[in-house]
Amino acid sequence: MKAQRLRFTYRVGDAGCSLGQRDLIRAFEQATTEAGFALSYSEGKRKTAQIAVAAPLPQNVTSDGELVEVFLSEPVNPRAALKAISERLPQGIEAVDVEEVGVQAPSLQSQLRWADYEVELPSEVDEAAARDAVERLLAETTIPAEYRRETRVRQYDLRPLVLSLRVEGKHDGRVLLGMRLRAEPENNARADQVVLALGVA
């Protein structure tokens, strides 16, 4: 039974960026149960905790604004849940905010439209070369790309998934890129694919 739906905003630091999506869900499941809150589980032979991540964050990527929803079978005070769960998450994962969402509201994944990224290019990449590469990519009408996962290969057009791309200057001697990429369930792009398409790293 789903009695309450809490949407957490969390950060992923250097110590937590190696976790995969399943590891992250398990971390929130464990933190929630250790805090004494009643998780809602799916029905059927294989019961799973009702926890949903907005979009899988690539491994070895840090973030200041990830979203996860946790369904509870008994309602709790959201702020108390934020404090208790954040204290029990593994190092490198920090829950920083929470809001209560209607149990019957559309899924978190269906509401996601884009994600913003900051990418530091290798130190040998010149800023002028990076700006030229960005201009060339934005001028393209199509950019063939492929996504590999285990034995599956998906070919797609990267260009319409890049909503914005810019050079933001330098940070610690490295060129810093800012990009907004589509993050819809069936139309999403990865920052590393954009860097690969730029051809500067």
Side-chain angles (χ1 to χ4, degrees):
M1 181 184 73
K2 297 177 180 178
Q4 189 178 35
R5 179 180 179 182
L6 298 179
R7 180 177 295 171
F8 294 91
T9 301
Y10 64 96
R11 295 191 184 111
V12 179
D14 292 335
C17 67
S18 63
L19 295 178
Q21 184 179 10
R22 292 180 180 178
D23 299 322
L24 185 65
I25 290 175
R26 279 196 294 266
F28 271 93
E29 179 180 5
Q30 183 174 342
T32 302
T33 54
E34 287 181 355
F37 304 131
L39 267 171
S40 175
Y41 286 85
S42 62
E43 298 179 357
K45 294 182 179 180
R46 187 178 179 182
K47 294 184 178 181
T48 56
Q50 297 296 282
I51 298 175
V53 175
L57 187 68
Q59 287 184 295
N60 301 317
V61 174
T62 60
S63 174
D64 287 329
E66 295 301 295
L67 297 173
V68 62
E69 289 186 340
V70 176
F71 289 85
L72 301 176
S73 59
E74 297 177 8
V76 300
N77 180 290
R79 304 310 297 182
L82 173 65
K83 182 176 185 300
I85 290 175
S86 186
E87 290 173 348
R88 292 166 173 82
L89 289 170
Q91 185 177 5
I93 306 295
E94 180 188 6
V96 295
D97 200 6
V98 65
E99 63 175 319
E100 188 168 1
V101 183
V103 172
Q104 300 301 324
S107 69
L108 181 58
Q109 294 91 335
S110 69
Q111 298 177 67
L112 191 63
R113 293 292 177 266
W114 65 75
D116 290 326
Y117 295 89
E118 285 187 345
V119 178
E120 287 186 3
L121 296 178
S123 57
E124 64 270 17
V125 177
D126 177 77
E127 184 173 350
R131 292 186 183 278
D132 288 342
V134 167
E135 289 183 7
R136 287 196 300 271
L137 186 148
L138 294 177
E140 297 287 351
T141 56
T142 181
I143 303 174
E146 63 179 29
Y147 172 67
R148 294 178 177 270
R149 184 174 183 179
E150 297 177 351
T151 59
R152 292 186 302 164
V153 178
R154 180 173 69 91
Q155 296 182 336
Y156 65 100
D157 184 2
L158 178 65
R159 181 61 189 90
L161 307 182
V162 181
L163 301 179
S164 68
L165 179 64
R166 62 198 176 278
V167 174
E168 295 189 334
K170 284 193 171 184
H171 179 258
D172 292 337
R174 294 172 178 262
V175 176
L176 184 66
L177 299 179
M179 57 182 77
R180 173 169 289 185
L181 310 178
R182 287 198 184 278
E184 299 166 347
E186 300 301 325
N187 290 294
N188 59 82
R190 292 165 48 122
D192 57 346
Q193 289 287 344
V194 176
V195 173
L196 184 64
L198 285 171
V200 295

